[in-house]
Amino acid sequence: MQTSNPSEGVVIAEVPEGTLTASNVDPFREEFNRILSESHDLKVLILDLSGFTFMDSAGLGTLIALLKKSSEQGREIKLAGLRKEVRVVFEITRAYKLFDIFDTTEEALRVVE
Amino acid sequence: MKAVIHTGVPAPWAAPVNRVPWALLPLGNRPLLEYWLEWCSDMHILDIRLVLDDGAKQIEEYVGSGESWGLQVTYGFHRNQNDPVHFLKRFSSDDLLQGLMHVTGPAFPRKTGMQSRHPESGKTLAYINEGRALCVLSRDPAFLEAWIKGQTDLSTHQPDQFESLGREIVPLESLKDLYEINMSLVQGEVQNYLQPGYYDKDNVIIGYNVITPPTATLSAPLIIGNDCRISPMTSIGPNAVVGSHVLIDRQSEISDSVILSGTFIGQGMEIRSKIVFGNTVIDPYSQAVVTIPDPWMVSEVQSLPAFRDILESLFSRMAAGVIALTQLLPFALLFGWKLVQGSRFTHKEVQGRNGRVLKLPLYTQAKVSHGISDRIFMALGLDRYPHFLLAFYGRLWLCGHRPRTVQSQAAQDMNEPDAGAFPAAITYADLREQDNDADLERVEELYYRHHRSLWEDMRMLGHFIIKRWSDFFRGRN
């Protein structure tokens, strides 16, 4: 995952091209945990999911678990750049009620700042 | 210019017809949202953002990319639907430089008869309803910037300013409003919205593939949608709006009523001054909502079970039967041993297939142990043996989501019977670390509904077996 730090306390993490399914949730979770542990002043993490072409229930479950973990630490997660295939998964499962979802990372940044 | 339409703002009055999101509720047989999209198209506002919530999938399926209206429609989500203006903060000032149309709830953009005009530059129009801006149309960037930042109070604006653009904003605040607009449309107002080339002089509009026998009486004014079957000796109209896929049985009479799409009206029914949606009959004036459980009177149009459903049901029962049969001996031996040690099955009331209440046996271990017999017991999935039997008897599905407890909120929300629920013996919750997260379980349930297939079931079954045996080799229960 490529990360950038556009402003204090805000990190944008860009996921690599591919899918988030049961077969690769573990490396994703580890990478996510690494970002959380390395960025001590992190308040808002914007996850740019534009690289994901598909997400299954395991992937979605992992995102929800990570959201829960971050909230417990007082950190926010915002999602951006969902492709249609991934957005539909959020729609049908109503997971959009749990996350703040933006079209682009720029939109998310505007609201955060 | 850009338009932002919030289709997810709660509309509690529409709860009796909540199988359709309010944005798709029919007015003269066309969804409410379509009137807004058409108006946007008339004003050359081509960049539309629909903010979705409940019914997101239905709205997206209906509107698509917006090509049908010559629009570019994109979609977004906003968690706090009660503060729609906050959504606008995500746009840059450049985005809003050309102007903005912001719709924040159910309202009908009625044509007043004046010519539709493009909003003037530097102007702001607003319709305020009970202190809330229901519709704002502005081509004043300075105003928009201040408004989004909360520095401008819109309540000073006078309503009905949209009349200069040839429209009047009519808020929908009750089923009575929905009914009255429908009646107004059927009584002639609909001609304002017809495309050139449609003939409406006789005040009768009938869609495609509508079968009307010679003995049926149709009285103007009347609107009937597509794919309807009208039986002999029926009388429809005057003032009837009948949606698409509606079946009307013999000797029924319908007048001054709105029949929503997908409704069956039984033999000899007399529907006057009502809204009917499936088996729900609504009196728009008294707001009385009656659910009729007798499918011979009124009901949703039922479809025959698809071949796929039959196949999946068969697979579920057969696979559960095979598992139960092969595990009978190990279960008898190992559970006998566990019973001596004090392990038990306790019961919990859950919702089984077709919403029936079921006492689900849950395995309770006497003590946490990592002995070989415990590990084999778990690896073979014998703690689920009664669940496999229930799946074989058709009380549970083999694969699906975790059965809801009878007291759970999700169970209370469930419509009876909920054809989209698949309480099962093997669930997504078994394939991950257990954490009893209600949100996650609800999400998994909805995920399964939409991805249900034989392949998905086999995948879940395979993952369940692999997980149980990998736990065995790792020495975990």
Side-chain angles (χ1 to χ4, degrees), chain B residues 412-423:
Chain B
Q412 287 168 18
D413 292 346
M414 191 165 135
N415 293 321
E416 297 284 349
D418 189 346
F422 299 97

Side-chain angles (χ1 to χ4, degrees), chain A residues 22 54-57 60-61 64-65 68 84 87-103 106-108 110-111, chain B residues 49 52-57 60 74-77 79 86 89-92 95 428 435 437 439-440 442-444 446-447 450-451 459 463:
Chain A
F54 178 68
M55 185 184 289
D56 73 357
S57 71
L60 196 57
I64 293 171
K68 213 167 140 188
K84 193 178 177 208
R87 186 161 46 81
V88 166
V89 174
F90 277 82
E91 268 180 34
I92 59 178
T93 59
R94 296 184 204 161
Y96 60 79
K97 287 179 187 280
L98 306 174
F99 292 93
D100 273 334
I101 300 172
F102 298 87
D103 259 24
E106 290 77 24
E107 277 191 3
R110 253 178 242 129
V111 172
Chain B
R49 177 78 67 96
L52 304 170
D53 202 283
D54 284 337
K57 192 165 174 262
E60 194 167 344
T74 54
Y75 300 91
F77 298 110
R79 274 174 73 194
H86 188 265
K89 287 187 178 160
R90 55 180 74 192
F91 297 120
S92 68
D95 284 335
Y428 287 122
D435 58 0
D437 184 334
D439 285 337
L440 183 51
R442 181 76 178 139
V443 161
E444 284 170 343
L446 292 163
Y447 183 89
H450 290 271
H451 290 87
R459 195 185 71 86
H463 276 232

Side-chain angles (χ1 to χ4, degrees), chain B residues 162-290:
Chain B
F162 285 91
E163 284 184 3
S164 61
L165 301 183
R167 299 277 172 160
E168 172 197 3
I169 307 298
V170 182
L172 270 87
E173 294 170 319
S174 66
L175 289 163
K176 184 177 161 230
D177 295 338
L178 180 82
Y179 174 79
E180 285 182 341
I181 293 172
N182 267 293
M183 286 301 111
S184 167
L185 284 164
V186 73
Q187 283 161 10
E189 194 187 335
V190 73
Q191 63 181 298
N192 297 339
Y193 304 92
L194 288 180
Q195 302 291 326
Y198 282 84
Y199 180 77
D200 70 303
K201 289 287 184 285
D202 53 5
N203 271 338
V204 174
I205 297 172
I206 298 182
Y208 300 111
N209 191 24
V210 175
I211 295 178
T212 51
T215 52
T217 310
L218 305 183
S219 314
L222 175 72
I223 301 176
I224 300 180
N226 301 327
D227 303 310
C228 293
R229 298 287 177 272
I230 295 165
S231 298
M233 318 283 281
T234 50
S235 166
I236 303 176
N239 302 322
V241 180
V242 178
S244 297
H245 306 284
V246 171
L247 304 180
I248 301 171
D249 210 347
R250 300 162 71 90
Q251 294 165 327
S252 293
E253 292 178 20
I254 297 166
S255 62
D256 303 298
S257 296
V258 181
I259 312 294
L260 270 68
S261 295
T263 298
F264 166 73
I265 307 284
Q267 190 174 340
M269 299 297 293
E270 195 179 305
I271 313 278
R272 297 197 197 285
S273 306
K274 298 282 183 295
I275 300 173
V276 185
F277 182 34
N279 63 351
T280 307
V281 180
I282 302 157
D283 182 337
Y285 292 105
S286 68
Q287 303 282 318
V289 178
V290 181

Side-chain angles (χ1 to χ4, degrees), chain B residues 107-119:
Chain B
F108 176 51
R110 171 173 270 154
K111 282 188 180 176
T112 56
M114 287 172 68
Q115 200 182 352
S116 211
R117 285 171 47 209
H118 199 63

Side-chain angles (χ1 to χ4, degrees), chain B residues 268-315:
Chain B
M269 299 297 293
E270 195 179 305
I271 313 278
R272 297 197 197 285
S273 306
K274 298 282 183 295
I275 300 173
V276 185
F277 182 34
N279 63 351
T280 307
V281 180
I282 302 157
D283 182 337
Y285 292 105
S286 68
Q287 303 282 318
V289 178
V290 181
T291 304
I292 297 177
D294 183 354
W296 293 98
M297 297 168 85
V298 285
S299 71
E300 264 184 90
V301 172
Q302 306 286 326
S303 53
L304 288 171
F307 176 70
R308 210 188 92 178
D309 292 336
I310 297 169
L311 200 68
E312 277 171 3
S313 185
L314 209 64
F315 168 79

Side-chain angles (χ1 to χ4, degrees), chain A residues 42-89:
Chain A
L42 176 71
K43 288 194 181 104
V44 180
L45 175 64
I46 300 171
L47 266 179
D48 182 355
L49 300 184
S50 55
F52 285 152
T53 52
F54 178 68
M55 185 184 289
D56 73 357
S57 71
L60 196 57
T62 305
L63 273 182
I64 293 171
L66 296 174
L67 173 76
K68 213 167 140 188
K69 185 178 173 183
S70 309
S71 316
E72 282 164 7
Q73 295 173 353
R75 291 159 158 177
E76 285 179 47
I77 293 184
K78 313 236 179 251
L79 306 183
L82 275 64
R83 291 194 195 192
K84 193 178 177 208
E85 298 83 350
V86 176
R87 186 161 46 81
V88 166
V89 174

